[in-house]
Amino acid sequence: MAIVRTSPLGIVSTQFYTFGSPNEGLRLECGQNFGPITVAYQTYGQLNEAHSNAILICHALTGDSHPAGIHAEDGRLGWWEIMVGPGKAFDTDRYYIICSNVLGGCKGTTGPASTNPATGKPYASNFPVITVEDMVRVQKKLVEYLGIDSLLAVVGGSMGGMQALAWCQLYPESVRAALPIATSPSLTAQGIAWNEIGRRAIMADQNWNGGNYYEPGQARPENGLAVARMLGHITYLSEESMEYKFGRQLRQKDDYSFSFNIDFEVESYLQHQGEIFNQRFDANSYLYITRAMDYYDMTRGKSSLTEAFANTNAAYLFISFSSDWLYPPYQSELMSKAAREAGRYVEYVNITAPNGHDSFLLESEHQAPLISEFLEKIFKG
Amino acid sequence: MAIVRTSPLGIVSTQFYTFGSPNEGLRLECGQNFGPITVAYQTYGQLNEAHSNAILICHALTGDSHPAGIHAEDGRLGWWEIMVGPGKAFDTDRYYIICSNVLGGCKGTTGPASTNPATGKPYASNFPVITVEDMVRVQKKLVEYLGIDSLLAVVGGSMGGMQALAWCQLYPESVRAALPIATSPSLTAQGIAWNEIGRRAIMADQNWNGGNYYEPGQARPENGLAVARMLGHITYLSEESMEYKFGRQLRQKDDYSFSFNIDFEVESYLQHQGEIFNQRFDANSYLYITRAMDYYDMTRGKSSLTEAFANTNAAYLFISFSSDWLYPPYQSELMSKAAREAGRYVEYVNITAPNGHDSFLLESEHQAPLISEFLEKIFKG
């Protein structure tokens, strides 16, 4: 069965911007100067004359620079197709939308699989440990290159929301509004724990080989990355949605296999998720990006969350989802309270939705009008 | 620092009972005849003349036959010391308490690490895939051997609770009361998923070697088992208790290491849990026991949970814990409703406790009086 994929945006190509050099690189949080850095990005719509309609979309852990349209190379629809396009929440008839792959990623932006100019080989484990702030500094360079001093809005779900928050902190004069969705000011102990287990699974795979698995024909740490992905996947769903989708449904209707083969539909689903993830993601990027998530802490160096927001200038729309237990709604509530206390304009909505953390990618009925009305308000000033 | 461990029960020795042979074994659910089977067990208190005061305690996934007292061999206190002893919930002055290691385990009862008499080598992956019902059939043999026709009560938390339920189904005339604690009539899709990921992590470890790692000096699948244990551990705690215990506390107070070494206390805790688990548990047992948990389904072959309970004769005390998200309280509520509809005597209490699924091992303030009053009621008839 051929799946016909259509998008009002048609075919979209990824573009690339490179800056810096080994001698004059970006100063990272870890203290290292790092360069050159190539950024993979896509844009939609037109930048207006005042350069005041630019919106930056930041992706989550395993996302890329392709939120909408049909990918020129592989024909894939974007990961936020429901939200980005003409007349959609991020209305491409009205706004100029930018989305780039994060530093440390594996979708075109410089990451551990990229060639280290000093050695001619992939960075692998010599890639520096980066932070969400480093990702944002790279995005700032791109945004400047595109001729934009001030963004109308920065938006993102999950780790994308952390980037939106970091933008407000690092560049308070360059962000008019932020939409941190299904996110938190820092991971909980449980969030750090899930990430750590994913990393241990990858590093325990013999094929990880200290991060060096990029030689042609060399085996990759596919088992470890699959385990990390399977684990992550459960945390993105809700118990309720898993029960609804799979329950205890068996693959073979008649009986148990009395083996360790796949008996349950949920096992089959997870195995499939692990397999397809290996085709599209690099294990080292998984290590580096999850570490950046662990490290992100909006209150770091501040006495309180309120103080953190007091040093920002943006208007905020926080959105959380009732069944999201990875980034629980109470964290968005805490942020909205703190931002209000700090004198910021704040809207906060907790959307009742059954699909757990993934709701931010799936739900548009309530999310889309909230976003478009908020953006219109800010745009009109 | 020497930790002095004391118990009113003093030193307790494990005993062993062996039955069956390769020719005349136990008929397992998978269809195989399996024997001989050795059962490791401990007893506390005295069986009365009427043989009417015997209580069987069933352990959870990684437990053993040593719930209380000081272990004769290694000096360990039992895993349910807070509940078992003179004057405690399971009052050894009053009741005769039995606890055995489950079939498939690695604490003295026949399991994958045991010697296969047909080959003189460990069963390893030739061990049959067993079920909770098979574990219970083995316990029944032990209980008969100890001269007991009818148990006053069968009790267990988590997988132990599944065994208590299976006892009521398989031997309705031999169980006067059941105390299924922090358990469910069958795992949810999410529960099966956690188990499957743990198994994948073990099997992905090169040292698992198809289950054959028992030769002297041979490396064991320690990385895989550690990942499985770390993962399991998070599901036994609550987000709240992890936040309280660890939060984002760093090991080195000053700063991040900007590496994949341990930065956060929660990472250190998990790594430690993985390491100590490897010292006390066998990876193959982890595979077989989690599979038995997946397969347990009280409603299998029945039209409803009510019908399942209608075929039992026990009185029930269900206990759940408010913060347990692995075996959520709603499942105990469903069971208590169904058992009542089936005409059974039922008590159900959801205890407000912060420690997640582990609460059944830690909480005694509310749990202990509930249990002792319920047992007294049943014992007096």
Side-chain angles (χ1 to χ4, degrees):
Chain A
M1 188 179 68
I3 299 167
V4 180
R5 302 198 185 278
T6 60
S7 166
L9 290 166
I11 291 169
V12 186
S13 291
T14 304
Q15 301 175 72
F16 298 92
Y17 163 61
T18 301
F19 67 93
S21 69
N23 299 324
E24 210 169 297
L26 192 78
R27 174 88 178 178
L28 301 175
E29 292 265 312
C30 66
Q32 194 176 325
N33 266 293
F34 186 72
I37 294 170
T38 295
V39 191
Y41 69 99
Q42 296 187 2
T43 66
Y44 311 82
Q46 298 296 326
L47 188 60
N48 63 10
E49 280 193 24
H51 289 201
S52 64
N53 69 335
I55 296 174
L56 178 69
I57 294 177
C58 305
H59 69 71
L61 169 53
T62 71
D64 57 24
S65 64
H66 178 59
I70 298 163
H71 198 287
E73 281 179 38
D74 57 20
R76 265 185 314 121
L77 274 183
W79 52 266
W80 227 9
E81 181 69 27
I82 58 167
M83 301 292 281
V84 181
K88 296 186 183 176
F90 298 98
D91 188 347
T92 50
D93 288 341
R94 192 156 199 190
Y95 306 116
Y96 178 62
I97 312 285
I98 310 158
C99 181
S100 64
N101 184 216
V102 296
L103 179 67
C106 51
K107 295 291 174 179
T109 294
T110 302
S114 303
T115 301
N116 179 349
T119 63
K121 290 185 174 176
Y123 285 102
S125 294
N126 292 322
F127 195 79
V129 168
I130 48 154
T131 66
V132 168
E133 286 84 350
D134 292 329
M135 295 174 184
V136 166
R137 287 187 183 100
V138 171
Q139 290 162 354
K140 183 68 162 67
K141 291 276 189 188
L142 171 68
V143 165
E144 283 172 3
Y145 163 75
L146 295 172
I148 298 153
D149 289 331
S150 176
L151 288 163
L152 171 62
V154 184
V155 57
S158 196
M159 186 184 78
M162 292 177 170
Q163 293 162 60
L165 294 167
W167 260 93
C168 297
Q169 291 185 284
L170 290 175
Y171 308 110
E173 304 309 324
S174 302
V175 187
R176 291 174 63 194
L179 294 83
I181 301 175
T183 194
S184 86
S186 61
L187 287 187
T188 59
Q190 196 189 67
I192 295 168
W194 296 128
N195 281 345
E196 171 67 2
I197 296 175
R199 286 192 298 267
R200 289 299 133 199
I202 291 168
M203 292 169 144
D205 189 320
Q206 61 173 323
N207 293 332
W208 181 61
N209 191 32
N212 301 305
Y213 52 77
Y214 295 113
E215 292 293 317
Q218 202 177 350
R220 297 188 166 221
E222 295 191 351
N223 287 327
L225 185 58
V227 168
R229 179 59 170 177
M230 289 162 77
L231 165 56
H233 223 87
I234 302 182
T235 68
Y236 307 149
L237 306 176
S238 67
E239 195 219 317
E240 183 190 351
S241 65
M242 289 187 82
E243 209 53 21
Y244 179 78
K245 270 190 198 166
F246 310 109
R248 296 182 53 83
Q249 211 179 318
L250 296 171
R251 294 221 76 194
Q252 303 293 331
K253 276 183 191 165
D254 41 351
D255 206 355
Y256 295 149
S257 71
F258 291 98
S259 75
F260 297 108
N261 297 333
I262 285 174
D263 273 317
F264 296 95
E265 284 291 350
V266 67
E267 295 177 304
S268 168
Y269 170 81
L270 288 174
Q271 189 181 59
H272 178 67
Q273 294 300 327
E275 280 168 9
I276 57 173
F277 191 59
N278 265 299
Q279 291 161 26
R280 74 172 179 89
F281 214 79
D282 177 50
N284 282 335
S285 278
Y286 201 90
L287 301 180
Y288 280 92
I289 298 176
T290 55
R291 198 47 158 174
M293 293 170 74
D294 292 353
Y295 279 180
Y296 184 67
D297 183 355
M298 201 180 172
T299 63
R300 204 163 150 76
K302 312 281 181 212
S303 63
S304 69
L305 199 52
T306 304
E307 191 195 325
F309 278 105
N311 291 313
T312 71
N313 276 318
Y316 292 93
L317 169 60
F318 296 102
I319 298 175
S320 61
F321 297 91
S322 57
S323 58
D324 184 350
W325 57 280
L326 188 61
Y327 290 81
Y330 80 81
Q331 297 184 319
S332 291
E333 207 179 316
L334 283 177
M335 286 191 288
S336 56
K337 274 187 191 165
R340 255 187 219 118
E341 274 174 23
R344 307 265 54 82
Y345 174 82
V346 174
E347 295 183 22
Y348 165 51
V349 179
N350 179 40
I351 295 174
T352 302
N355 292 312
H357 185 56
D358 267 353
S359 297
F360 86 89
L361 294 168
L362 303 171
E363 203 283 341
S364 63
E365 189 190 341
H366 299 94
Q367 208 179 183
L370 273 174
I371 291 174
S372 60
E373 283 164 32
F374 176 78
L375 287 176
E376 196 171 314
K377 209 179 300 180
I378 304 297
F379 188 43
K380 286 186 178 165
Chain B
M1 187 180 68
I3 299 166
V4 180
R5 301 197 185 280
T6 60
S7 166
L9 290 167
I11 291 168
V12 185
S13 291
T14 305
Q15 302 175 72
F16 298 91
Y17 163 62
T18 301
F19 67 92
S21 68
N23 300 323
E24 210 169 298
L26 192 77
R27 174 88 179 180
L28 300 175
E29 291 265 312
C30 66
Q32 195 176 325
N33 266 293
F34 186 71
I37 294 170
T38 295
V39 191
Y41 68 100
Q42 296 188 1
T43 66
Y44 312 81
Q46 299 296 326
L47 188 61
N48 63 9
E49 279 194 21
H51 290 201
S52 63
N53 70 335
I55 296 174
L56 178 70
I57 294 178
C58 305
H59 68 72
L61 169 53
T62 71
D64 57 25
S65 64
H66 178 59
I70 298 163
H71 198 288
E73 281 180 36
D74 57 20
R76 266 185 313 121
L77 274 183
W79 52 267
W80 227 7
E81 181 69 27
I82 57 168
M83 302 292 280
V84 181
K88 296 185 183 176
F90 299 98
D91 187 348
T92 50
D93 288 340
R94 191 155 198 194
Y95 306 116
Y96 178 62
I97 313 284
I98 309 158
C99 182
S100 65
N101 184 217
V102 295
L103 180 67
C106 52
K107 295 292 172 178
T109 293
T110 302
S114 303
T115 301
N116 178 351
T119 64
K121 290 186 173 174
Y123 285 102
S125 294
N126 291 322
F127 195 78
V129 168
I130 48 153
T131 66
V132 169
E133 287 84 350
D134 292 330
M135 297 173 183
V136 166
R137 288 188 183 100
V138 170
Q139 290 162 355
K140 182 69 161 67
K141 290 276 188 188
L142 171 68
V143 166
E144 284 172 3
Y145 162 75
L146 294 172
I148 298 153
D149 289 331
S150 176
L151 290 163
L152 172 62
V154 185
V155 57
S158 197
M159 187 186 76
M162 291 177 171
Q163 293 161 60
L165 293 168
W167 260 94
C168 297
Q169 290 186 285
L170 290 175
Y171 307 111
E173 304 310 322
S174 301
V175 187
R176 288 175 64 194
L179 295 83
I181 301 175
T183 195
S184 85
S186 61
L187 285 187
T188 59
Q190 197 188 67
I192 295 169
W194 297 129
N195 281 346
E196 172 67 2
I197 295 174
R199 287 192 297 268
R200 288 300 133 198
I202 290 168
M203 292 170 146
D205 188 321
Q206 60 174 325
N207 294 332
W208 180 62
N209 191 32
N212 301 304
Y213 52 78
Y214 295 113
E215 292 293 317
Q218 201 176 350
R220 297 188 166 221
E222 294 191 351
N223 287 327
L225 185 59
V227 167
R229 178 60 170 177
M230 290 163 76
L231 165 57
H233 222 87
I234 302 182
T235 67
Y236 306 149
L237 306 176
S238 68
E239 194 219 316
E240 182 191 351
S241 65
M242 289 187 81
E243 210 51 21
Y244 178 79
K245 271 190 197 169
F246 310 109
R248 295 182 54 82
Q249 211 179 318
L250 295 170
R251 294 222 75 196
Q252 303 293 332
K253 275 182 193 166
D254 40 350
D255 206 356
Y256 295 149
S257 70
F258 290 99
S259 75
F260 297 109
N261 298 333
I262 285 174
D263 273 317
F264 296 94
E265 284 292 350
V266 67
E267 294 177 306
S268 168
Y269 170 80
L270 287 174
Q271 188 180 59
H272 178 68
Q273 293 300 327
E275 280 166 9
I276 56 173
F277 191 59
N278 265 298
Q279 291 161 26
R280 73 172 180 90
F281 215 79
D282 177 51
N284 282 335
S285 279
Y286 200 90
L287 301 180
Y288 280 92
I289 298 176
T290 55
R291 198 49 158 171
M293 292 170 76
D294 291 352
Y295 279 0
Y296 184 67
D297 184 352
M298 201 181 174
T299 63
R300 205 163 150 76
K302 312 281 181 211
S303 64
S304 69
L305 199 52
T306 304
E307 190 195 324
F309 277 105
N311 291 312
T312 71
N313 277 317
Y316 291 94
L317 169 60
F318 295 102
I319 298 175
S320 61
F321 297 91
S322 58
S323 58
D324 184 351
W325 56 280
L326 188 60
Y327 290 81
Y330 79 80
Q331 297 184 319
S332 290
E333 207 179 317
L334 282 178
M335 285 191 288
S336 56
K337 274 187 191 166
R340 254 186 219 119
E341 273 174 23
R344 306 264 55 82
Y345 174 81
V346 174
E347 294 182 21
Y348 166 51
V349 180
N350 179 40
I351 296 174
T352 301
N355 292 312
H357 186 56
D358 267 355
S359 297
F360 86 88
L361 294 167
L362 302 172
E363 204 282 343
S364 63
E365 188 190 341
H366 299 95
Q367 209 179 181
L370 273 174
I371 290 173
S372 60
E373 283 163 32
F374 176 78
L375 287 175
E376 196 170 316
K377 209 179 300 179
I378 304 297
F379 188 42
K380 287 187 176 164

